[in-house]
Amino acid sequence: QLTMSLNSPTLLNEENAQGAKRNTECLESLLQTPPSFQDNPLQQLQLASQEVLEKAKKSGRSKCPRCNSSRMFYCYTCFVPVETVPTKEIPTVKLPLKIDIIKHPNETDGKSTAVHAKLLAPDDVTIYKYPCIPEYEEKRHEIALIFPGPNSVSVKDIAFHLQKYTKKGVCASDDDCSTEPLLKQAKIEPEEETNPNEGISNSRSEGTRLKKIIFIDSTWNQTNKIITDERLQGLLQIELKTRKTCFWRHQKGKPDTYLSTIEAIYYFLVDYHQEILKESYKGQYDNLLFFFSFMYTLIKDAKCCAGKE
């Protein structure tokens, strides 16, 4: 959805009400059945124990501790686990930079994987519902947008291109503008200064001046409204390597290289870790797929039960 390598986590016209009900009934019939990890392409991930999700699956839907809505595993509107999933048993992932997710207003909350990122990396992820998004202009020398296009660059080229953005500064259109304001704006904000992972970046390369990455949570057909917003213009755009999605809500007629939002975040961080931080990847961000991998197996089995693969 988002790129030839990025995909929407949501399908606007994915299933009718009857089909959704049939899938729900099928899923409930599997609640007492241990998930089969055979043929699971995500099984090599280094994940925290998913026993807490197994227990929650058996006990069924539970209340959200904030809004009291009935949910399975977590509340997708409050971004918190349900009562049967203790927060202390959910892994927390520390990210090397901040992530903003801009969600299209027509995206169905319950179908989006963006909430997974907020649940598992609560200190580093913020979700905005378009058009209520931040102004990025003054920070564009340390922010990048994950989106394909003619001017998009690969993760490994962030260093070179971000350096150019830094030199241009936030007032590139003003010939009389000195570099002094840029130096002031480039300082880490107080809340970011306490993040040791961001601090490491500055001593390594220009690419590690990247402080924030933006993802769009939307179907491919809905992205135009967001990507053309003036607040996102002038940002460095990054396109991910081609990878195949495991998302169960794959858009018909779209390539399997269209990733869900949580997959796009995960793969970007793996690339960033290896190509910018120059460190070997040892599963540091695998738990971002903690819910995704569990639900993948659950829904794969449910589809088999419903007679569709």
Side-chain angles (χ1 to χ4, degrees):
Q1 104 123 40
L2 284 188
T3 149
M4 284 189 336
S5 191
L6 281 187
N7 140 52
S8 157
T10 312
L11 290 179
L12 201 57
N13 299 313
E14 181 200 7
E15 295 177 337
N16 56 33
Q18 184 178 1
K21 181 179 179 182
R22 184 169 58 248
N23 283 349
T24 300
E25 293 172 346
C26 178
L27 181 58
E28 290 176 349
S29 73
L30 293 169
L31 291 181
Q32 302 300 322
T33 307
S36 167
F37 284 91
Q38 290 184 348
D39 301 322
N40 183 350
L42 304 173
Q43 64 184 341
Q44 299 303 318
L45 296 171
Q46 298 180 45
L47 300 173
S49 171
Q50 294 177 319
E51 184 179 357
V52 62
L53 300 183
E54 286 284 359
K55 291 179 179 178
K57 181 190 72 170
K58 292 177 181 177
S59 58
R61 299 169 73 88
S62 180
K63 285 185 178 181
C64 167
R66 293 187 183 174
C67 68
N68 290 320
S69 297
S70 176
R71 304 279 191 250
M72 179 66 83
F73 304 128
Y74 56 82
C75 179
Y76 44 75
T77 50
C78 299
F79 308 141
V80 294
V82 294
E83 293 177 346
T84 55
V85 182
T87 303
K88 64 181 180 180
E89 295 187 43
I90 299 300
T92 299
V93 184
K94 192 61 185 172
L95 307 184
L97 34 67
K98 301 295 183 183
I99 288 179
D100 280 2
I101 300 174
I102 300 175
K103 188 174 179 296
H104 193 283
N106 292 341
E107 280 293 282
T108 304
D109 291 339
K111 294 180 178 180
S112 172
T113 61
V115 63
H116 296 183
K118 182 62 179 175
L119 283 162
L120 297 163
D123 295 337
D124 298 318
V125 175
T126 304
I127 298 178
Y128 296 96
K129 182 168 285 191
Y130 188 83
C132 300
I133 66 174
E135 295 285 347
Y136 293 111
E137 174 65 20
E138 294 185 357
K139 294 287 186 179
R140 65 176 182 165
H141 55 287
E142 56 187 33
I143 296 176
L145 171 67
I146 300 294
F147 200 83
N151 299 318
S152 296
V153 304
S154 64
V155 174
K156 67 181 177 62
D157 292 327
I158 288 178
F160 175 73
H161 290 279
L162 204 60
Q163 183 180 35
K164 291 193 297 183
Y165 272 64
T166 303
K167 288 180 178 179
K168 285 172 65 178
V170 296
C171 46
S173 59
D174 186 352
D175 294 333
D176 298 324
C177 179
S178 68
T179 57
E180 182 60 23
L182 172 62
L183 295 177
K184 289 181 179 178
Q185 291 167 353
K187 289 181 180 178
I188 299 174
E189 296 178 354
E191 63 173 9
E192 295 176 331
E193 198 168 6
T194 59
N195 186 342
N197 290 322
E198 290 177 349
I200 353 180
S201 306
N202 298 328
S203 62
R204 297 188 181 173
S205 73
E206 292 293 332
T208 54
R209 291 189 184 184
L210 185 66
K211 297 293 188 298
K212 180 176 290 185
I213 199 80
I214 301 169
F215 291 84
I216 296 176
D217 187 36
S218 164
T219 58
W220 179 255
N221 293 333
Q222 294 171 336
T223 56
N224 188 59
K225 184 178 181 65
I226 297 179
I227 196 62
T228 55
D229 189 289
E230 60 180 9
R231 290 166 291 185
L232 298 181
Q233 304 311 302
L235 295 177
L236 176 65
Q237 287 185 211
I238 299 171
E239 185 164 1
L240 300 182
K241 291 179 180 177
T242 300
R243 290 187 171 94
K244 292 185 178 180
T245 184
C246 289
F247 195 42
W248 46 91
R249 292 191 179 100
H250 184 64
Q251 299 181 73
K252 291 182 179 178
K254 300 296 183 183
D256 58 6
T257 51
Y258 280 22
L259 306 175
S260 66
T261 298
I262 193 63
E263 289 176 299
I265 292 173
Y266 170 74
Y267 285 124
F268 166 78
L269 288 170
V270 172
D271 290 346
Y272 180 84
H273 192 85
Q274 295 174 319
E275 300 187 28
I276 299 299
L277 298 184
K278 303 296 183 183
E279 297 178 7
S280 60
Y281 183 70
K282 299 179 180 178
Q284 290 90 333
Y285 313 119
D286 282 10
N287 274 323
L288 285 174
L289 299 179
F290 180 76
F291 289 105
F292 184 90
S293 63
F294 188 83
M295 294 170 70
Y296 167 85
T297 300
L298 210 56
I299 294 189
K300 180 175 167 57
D301 288 347
K303 286 185 176 181
C304 288
C305 168
K308 50 182 179 179
E309 187 60 56

